[in-house]
Amino acid sequence: MSSQSTAAARQPSLFLPHGGGPCFFMEWNPPDTWTSMAAFLTGLAAGLTARPRVLLVISAHWAEEVFAVGSHPQPPLIYDYYGFPEHTYRLSYPAPGGPALAKQVKGLLQDAGLAAREEPARGLDHGVFVPLKLVFPEADIPVVPLSLRADLDPAAHLAAGRALAPLRDEGVLVLGSGMRSPSAR
């Protein structure tokens, strides 16, 4: 994909399943426990019509009173999982941040009447970096995390989606990341 095609092609908005903790980077019994999900994530980028300019990722593991957008220029990783093998706390994903996009996201949300703030110290939680290690393993596309609103108000989140939709025409791939428990109904 050429850099010229990136700006011309509208990016989709997608949901990424992120598995359980650092599941893709561990041994399991049975060994194929996460194989299908890993294959889905690994093949996702090939299905895009153009390479994204920036990734805006909404993780189920970050909720704030108002929408918060990470504006760290080099976001650190947040190992927000517990009891996993020691090597999983050394995983890396050195993608750059996107402070300019963070400012734009905050402005779009505020213009839509939604309270929003920047969070300059926020890193990437496992709902962001774990699936991205499979989708974009080169870690060369800027990543901007966006929180959910803690009240999970559907109308507010739909309004946020409408406010941010124009970013897709600017080469921004909007990703939601979460994991539904198989027993959830």
Side-chain angles (χ1 to χ4, degrees):
M1 291 179 259
S2 75
S3 61
Q4 290 177 337
S5 67
T6 301
R10 180 176 176 90
Q11 290 290 326
S13 56
L14 302 170
F15 175 78
L16 300 179
H18 66 250
C23 62
F24 307 114
F25 308 101
M26 300 169 41
E27 291 184 20
W28 289 89
N29 187 12
D32 64 348
T33 300
W34 298 100
T35 303
S36 294
M37 190 178 296
F40 168 77
L41 291 168
T42 301
L44 197 97
L48 298 174
T49 57
R51 179 178 167 80
R53 181 179 62 82
V54 185
L55 307 173
L56 177 62
V57 187
I58 302 95
S59 170
H61 293 282
W62 187 22
E64 297 286 339
E65 186 176 329
V66 302
F67 290 108
V69 58
S71 58
H72 197 294
Q74 193 65 50
L77 299 189
I78 302 169
Y79 300 98
D80 57 335
Y81 43 78
Y82 309 95
F84 288 93
E86 191 273 330
H87 77 272
T88 64
Y89 299 91
R90 291 190 313 262
L91 294 172
S92 67
Y93 196 74
L101 178 65
K103 187 174 292 308
Q104 185 179 5
V105 166
K106 181 181 96 173
L108 288 169
L109 291 170
Q110 290 175 334
D111 289 349
L114 299 165
R117 65 179 173 80
E118 287 183 51
E119 181 56 59
R122 179 68 184 187
L124 308 178
D125 64 55
H126 83 274
V128 178
F129 77 83
V130 167
L132 291 184
K133 283 182 70 63
L134 297 176
V135 180
F136 299 106
E138 300 83 15
D140 59 352
I141 301 174
V143 178
V144 174
L146 175 64
S147 77
L148 295 168
R149 226 173 66 177
D151 65 4
L152 301 178
D153 176 48
H157 287 86
L158 289 169
R162 285 189 296 275
L164 299 174
L167 295 173
R168 295 172 51 209
D169 292 320
E170 298 176 22
V172 178
L173 177 59
V174 179
L175 300 167
S177 174
M179 185 64 194
R180 181 182 170 272
S181 168
S183 62
R185 299 268 182 247

